[in-house]
Amino acid sequence: MKGIVLAGGNGSRLRPITRVVSKQLLPVYDKPLIYYPLSALMLAGIREILIISKPADLPLFRRLLGDGSHLGVSFDYAEQPEPKGLADAFRIGADFIGADPVALVLGDNIFYGQGFPDVLQCERKRVDGVTLFGYGVADPRRYGVGELGADGELLSLQEKPEHPRSNQAITGLYMYSNDVVELAYELEPSARGELEITDLNRRYLGQGRARLSPLGRGFAWLDAGTHDSLVEANQFVQVLEQRQGVRMACLEEIALRMGHIDADTCYALGIVQEDSDYGRYVVEAARRFAERPLATIVEA
């Protein structure tokens, strides 16, 4: 399975702080926002990832992330000159996707929960059509909503409904079979001139090939697309990391534990950032993983 992070858009809800920098490059506590959706794809076992953004922002993402080889993965980049809807990602990424299934994650979405990697890897293996991830919210009228039957079957998809049929908001993480590219090319722009992801998902629903995987209690889903939600995301990450002593979305640690890099490489990646708490955490992660003294790990 390939992965796509859609990190485009104008970040208009975060103006003026996004006038000169992409929303996905803004900090969420100790790391750039894009680390969080990238971590979801990496935890799913996906190693080939396409990052889509505006032409002016792509050099900054390249500078931040490189080609991914230092993490044992591959990052590619593609331009979306102007927002044309979420489903446009599959047209832009058609050559990258090739003959593989694909996961799409929005660049401002943050996921956290015990057992999340297991959920992702299980759903990755069973996807046939589209798999959506639901999250129970207090006010589903603000979101796309999935209605489930008694047997867990996905019955309907509503977009910001006045009278929601459930409290299951559709998160910004999607897994698709390879025919998503073909279906994306068949879509017609909506009244607002965009290729709507909900229209695409309804195609699969009509074929009986859409399922919803609810993220239950113990999971957290945050959309850092407004000033308030960005502050909330920063506070959530700060509290969790300080109390538990772990780092969310630490790409180096994830790469190490997924077997993409070894402890020596992880240690070297931490050393070049050792002036920061984040860098020191990466060094300690390498030491813990190797279960040996610092002096026995090859230094950069």
Side-chain angles (χ1 to χ4, degrees):
M1 178 175 276
K2 303 283 182 64
I4 295 177
V5 179
L6 186 55
N10 295 318
S12 55
R13 293 184 297 167
L14 283 167
R15 294 287 177 90
I17 58 177
T18 51
R19 288 188 64 183
V20 296
V21 66
S22 169
K23 168 176 60 176
Q24 289 82 14
L25 291 170
L26 295 174
V28 173
Y29 188 49
D30 57 351
K31 62 192 74 71
L33 175 53
I34 196 171
Y35 274 42
Y36 297 89
L38 279 174
S39 72
L41 296 180
M42 290 176 63
L43 288 170
I46 297 171
R47 301 183 69 171
E48 296 177 77
I49 298 172
L50 177 68
I51 298 164
I52 299 176
S53 191
K54 295 187 298 182
D57 292 326
L58 281 180
L60 299 177
F61 285 110
R62 290 181 186 272
R63 181 179 176 186
L64 173 68
L65 300 167
D67 64 3
S69 59
H70 60 294
L71 298 172
V73 299
S74 173
F75 294 143
D76 287 300
Y77 300 87
E79 296 181 357
Q80 186 184 45
E82 58 186 44
K84 292 185 178 179
L86 304 187
D88 186 43
F90 304 112
R91 294 186 178 185
I92 295 172
D95 290 341
F96 168 80
I97 294 168
D100 295 310
V102 62
L104 171 68
V105 62
L106 304 188
D108 60 0
N109 273 222
I110 298 171
F111 297 88
Y112 180 79
Q114 191 71 26
F116 189 47
D118 294 334
V119 171
L120 293 173
Q121 293 176 38
C122 177
E123 295 297 345
R124 171 190 169 184
K125 293 174 183 176
R126 67 185 295 184
V127 64
D128 178 19
V130 61
T131 296
L132 310 172
F133 294 86
Y135 187 79
V137 296
D139 185 7
R141 293 174 299 175
R142 300 167 48 201
Y143 306 94
V145 175
E147 177 192 10
L148 291 174
D151 60 353
E153 178 187 3
L154 183 59
L155 301 178
S156 70
L157 292 169
Q158 300 174 280
E159 185 62 30
K160 297 181 180 178
E162 183 63 29
H163 302 289
R165 296 172 187 158
S166 85
N167 73 334
Q168 286 292 309
I170 305 299
T171 70
L173 176 62
Y174 317 83
M175 292 183 176
Y176 292 94
S177 298
N178 182 256
D179 61 350
V180 67
V181 174
E182 177 184 350
L183 292 179
Y185 272 107
E186 293 176 359
L187 285 180
E188 295 291 334
S190 66
R192 61 177 185 164
E194 296 191 359
L195 301 175
E196 306 289 354
I197 197 81
T198 300
D199 291 342
L200 179 63
N201 294 336
R202 283 175 176 154
R203 293 281 188 99
Y204 283 106
L205 183 63
Q207 297 173 5
R209 300 173 60 214
R211 58 177 266 104
L212 179 67
S213 177
L215 300 176
R217 292 186 177 184
F219 284 89
W221 168 57
L222 300 93
D223 173 352
T226 67
H227 296 107
D228 285 345
S229 61
L230 185 61
V231 171
E232 290 169 359
N234 273 273
Q235 293 173 336
F236 175 82
V237 175
Q238 179 190 32
V239 170
L240 185 141
E241 291 190 356
Q242 290 186 352
R243 290 187 178 179
Q244 296 191 356
V246 298
R247 299 272 164 174
M248 284 181 59
C250 178
L251 301 186
E252 296 87 351
E253 183 180 26
I254 292 171
L256 174 63
R257 298 199 176 275
M258 295 295 292
H260 303 334
I261 61 174
D262 59 23
D264 292 346
T265 301
C266 184
Y267 174 79
L269 293 173
I271 282 294
V272 298
Q273 308 174 80
E274 65 177 339
D275 288 342
S276 70
D277 289 340
Y278 181 91
R280 288 188 287 273
Y281 177 85
V282 173
V283 169
E284 288 301 317
R287 292 180 61 189
R288 291 193 301 271
F289 188 84
E291 295 183 342
R292 50 183 167 161
L294 181 62
T296 67
I297 301 178
V298 176
E299 295 195 8

